[in-house]
Amino acid sequence: MKRTLMLAAAFSLAAIVGPMAAQAAEPIEGNWKTESGETAAIGKCGDGFCITLKTGKFSGRQIGKLSGAGSEYTGEITDPEADKTYSGSGSVSGNSLKMKGCVLKILCKSQTWTRL
């Protein structure tokens, strides 16, 4: 009986600590190379993270703001070429950042950026 309770407690603790450890391991801040070859910087601003293009035709322009923690972020992304803003999300996995912008949550485009 004691062994069963100890195993149950260990599994419960692992279920709680495991996701928290994974969350802390994937920061979004830093410099990223976009699929089109520009460099984008993501840094703290207000209560979230701002995305600013550092190179290319739209250098210096803020193209998004995301909030979240761990490896999952949500907010808004702007297509600078079309000057349209979409609901967006970002998901960090190691040195890759999958960016996604959607209209009405059904028409979506994705890009994968690489950490510099």
Side-chain angles (χ1 to χ4, degrees):
M1 177 73 169
K2 278 186 178 182
R3 184 171 188 231
T4 303
L5 286 174
M6 287 178 66
L7 283 173
F11 285 124
S12 296
L13 183 60
I16 293 168
V17 173
M20 288 190 303
Q23 268 188 331
E26 304 287 357
I28 196 169
E29 291 180 87
N31 293 312
W32 299 87
K33 184 175 184 177
T34 68
E35 279 191 358
S36 58
E38 285 100 3
T39 299
I42 301 178
K44 278 271 198 204
C45 69
D47 60 349
F49 300 92
C50 289
I51 306 166
T52 305
L53 290 175
K54 293 297 187 184
T55 62
K57 182 178 176 181
F58 299 100
S59 178
R61 183 161 178 199
Q62 183 178 317
I63 62 163
K65 186 169 183 180
L66 301 173
S67 60
S71 62
E72 299 296 323
Y73 302 85
T74 59
E76 293 184 335
I77 305 288
T78 299
D79 174 356
E81 193 71 47
D83 197 30
K84 293 191 178 188
T85 301
Y86 306 97
S87 62
S89 64
S91 177
V92 181
S93 178
N95 288 326
S96 294
L97 171 60
K98 184 175 182 179
M99 298 294 287
K100 187 176 182 181
C102 299
V103 175
L104 302 173
K105 296 186 180 184
I106 54 171
L107 300 171
C108 300
K109 285 181 94 175
S110 295
Q111 288 188 5
T112 302
W113 297 1
T114 306
R115 189 182 300 274
L116 295 174

